[in-house]
């Protein structure tokens, strides 16, 4: 009996030892798997030679840890200013209708005239309105001085209201727009600028039509309207020059016909065009057409206007 108990005890001890060995092996394998050792299948994928490198390393060609130079992540070239060759220059894009925006300004009396692809500023009031001095006829009356300027005239001031004159359906004031010209219109070029002339009126092409402008000094036409007024410019003694006046424009006879000239100081006209403005200068009211001053006077009992010469007062 004692021998049997010793045998059972020996078997129990062996069993317990086996159980402990098995348990220790299982724990060892589990611990080894957790540490990543002992098997290739447990290594992170994508690394050669079994080196224990981080699996989260960025993917780069050749395994070099360079910044991601993916071209798709570069700034969008299309977001650069639109310039030839991709150079970062100021954007010189062309605006609608191919017209470049070159100083398209609205300066007081200026009217923007769009001619083809170029913006042309036509000054509808101040163009070529300077006054020619009559060097052969000195003034016998003292000037009217006001505001630092001297206003010369040959005749005494006689106020009468300004009423624009109507030269008929073919005549239009400065700034007037027409969609098309009559077939009688001709082309006149002055200082490399092209104008269209028809029945005493000058036009320049604008966007979608033509705009009336002041007659350019130097333009020569073969004929002027039959209603033109003869203006006698008196010189020294019996010397006189005949100008021709129509619609606010002055002409002199020339070899090619009639050439546009500035008004001569002292010239007297019976009518002024639309677009003039009564301008108060001290106690005197002039009519200003463009930059030309006209003094209201009376001659032979009729209300007329004299071209005034204006000078800056010179201080000693």
């Amino acid at each position: 009996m004692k021998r049997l108990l010793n045998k059972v005890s020996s078997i129990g001890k062996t069993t317990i030892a086996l159980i402990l060995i098995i348990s220790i092996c299982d724990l060892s394998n589990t611990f080894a798997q957790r540490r990543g050792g002992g098997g290739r299948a447990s290594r992170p994928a994508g690394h050669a030679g079994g080196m224990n490198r981080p699996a989260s390393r960025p993917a780069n060609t050749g395994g070099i840890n360079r910044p991601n130079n993916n071209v798709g992540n570069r700034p969008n070239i299309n977001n650069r200013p639109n310039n030839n060759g991709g150079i970062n220059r100021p954007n010189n894009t062309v605006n609608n209708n191919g017209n470049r925006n070159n100083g398209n300004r609205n300066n007081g009396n200026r009217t923007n005239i769009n001619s083809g692809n170029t913006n042309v500023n036509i000054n509808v009031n101040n163009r070529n309105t300077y006054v020619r001095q009559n060097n052969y006829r000195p003034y016998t009356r003292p000037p009217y001085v006001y505001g630092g300027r001297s206003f010369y005239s040959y005749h005494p001031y006689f106020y009468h209201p300004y009423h624009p004159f109507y030269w008929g359906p073919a005549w239009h004031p400065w700034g007037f727009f027409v969609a098309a010209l009559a077939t009688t219109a001709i082309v006149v070029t002055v200082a490399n600028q092209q104008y269209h002339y028809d029945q005493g009126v000058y036009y320049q092409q604008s966007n979608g039509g033509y705009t009336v402008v002041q007659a350019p000094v130097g333009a020569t036409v073969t004929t002027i309207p039959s209603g033109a007024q003869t203006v006698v410019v008196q010189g020294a003694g019996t010397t006189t020059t005949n100008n021709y006046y129509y619609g606010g424009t002055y002409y002199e006879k020339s070899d090619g016909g009639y050439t546009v000239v500035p008004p001569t100081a002292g010239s007297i006209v019976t009518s002024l065009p639309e677009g003039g403005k009564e301008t108060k200068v001290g106690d005197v009211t002039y009519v200003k057409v463009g930059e030309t001053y006209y003094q209201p006077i009376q001659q032979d009992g009729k209300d007329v206007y004299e071209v005034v010469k204006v000078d800056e007062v010179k201080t000693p």
Side-chain angles (χ1 to χ4, degrees):
M1 184 70 179
K2 185 176 180 179
R3 182 179 296 177
L4 180 61
L5 291 173
N6 290 335
K7 190 175 181 178
V8 170
S9 177
S10 177
I11 293 171
K13 290 178 180 180
T14 302
T15 302
I16 292 171
L18 289 174
I19 291 172
L20 289 173
I21 292 171
I22 292 171
S23 298
I24 289 170
C25 289
D26 289 341
L27 289 172
S28 178
N29 288 335
T30 301
F31 183 73
Q33 288 178 1
R34 288 182 180 179
R35 293 187 62 184
R40 290 183 182 271
S42 64
R43 294 174 187 165
H47 295 280
M51 298 177 65
N52 190 16
R53 297 173 180 169
S56 61
R57 175 184 164 188
N60 291 291
T61 305
I64 302 173
N65 190 16
R66 296 172 182 165
N68 191 345
N69 292 325
N70 190 339
V71 175
N73 291 331
R74 292 178 181 173
N76 191 346
I77 295 176
N78 292 330
N79 291 332
R80 296 175 183 171
N82 185 9
N83 293 290
N84 293 332
I87 301 173
N88 191 16
R89 296 172 181 163
N91 194 338
N92 292 324
T93 54
V94 179
N95 62 16
N96 293 335
N97 301 323
N99 298 324
R100 291 187 181 274
N101 188 12
N102 293 333
N104 186 5
R105 295 177 298 177
N106 185 3
N107 294 333
N109 293 327
R110 289 185 182 272
T111 299
N112 190 329
I113 303 301
N114 186 325
S115 179
N117 291 336
T118 304
N119 287 330
V120 180
N121 284 324
I122 302 301
N123 190 323
V124 297
N125 281 343
N126 299 344
R127 197 179 188 84
N128 298 323
T129 54
Y130 64 91
V131 173
R132 295 192 300 180
Q133 182 174 344
N134 189 339
N135 295 320
Y136 301 100
R137 186 184 177 191
Y139 287 97
T140 57
R141 302 177 66 254
Y144 178 74
V145 180
Y146 185 87
R149 291 183 294 177
S150 298
F151 297 80
Y152 291 89
S153 64
Y154 293 104
H155 298 81
Y157 170 75
F158 184 90
Y159 175 77
H160 53 82
Y162 159 63
H163 298 292
F165 186 77
Y166 178 68
W167 272 276
W171 184 85
H172 304 294
W174 303 337
F176 189 85
F177 176 85
V178 294
L181 297 177
T183 56
T184 53
I186 63 171
V187 175
V188 179
T189 301
V190 179
N192 296 324
Q193 289 287 324
Q194 191 176 83
Y195 302 84
H196 298 266
Y197 169 81
D198 184 42
Q199 302 184 64
V201 184
Y202 293 82
Y203 303 84
Q204 273 198 315
Q205 189 172 7
S206 59
N207 191 20
Y210 302 85
T211 300
V212 178
V213 297
Q214 188 171 355
V217 170
T220 299
V221 295
T222 55
T223 60
I224 56 176
S226 59
Q229 172 190 348
T230 300
V231 177
V232 178
V233 180
Q234 295 182 350
T238 58
T239 303
T240 60
T241 302
N242 287 336
N243 282 178
Y244 301 91
Y245 174 80
Y246 182 86
T249 301
Y250 296 83
Y251 299 88
E252 280 185 2
K253 193 74 175 68
S254 61
D255 294 337
Y258 297 87
T259 300
V260 177
V261 295
T264 303
S267 297
I268 296 175
V269 295
T270 58
S271 307
L272 295 179
E274 181 181 340
K277 180 181 179 181
E278 288 195 340
T279 303
K280 191 78 171 177
V281 179
D283 296 327
V284 177
T285 300
Y286 296 104
V287 178
K288 192 177 181 183
V289 180
E291 290 301 311
T292 302
Y293 286 85
Y294 289 86
Q295 176 175 283
I297 64 172
Q298 267 201 341
Q299 188 179 58
D300 300 329
K302 296 180 180 179
D303 293 339
V304 292
Y305 299 91
E306 178 184 344
V307 176
V308 177
K309 179 177 176 289
V310 182
D311 286 339
E312 299 291 330
V313 175
K314 297 179 181 181
T315 56

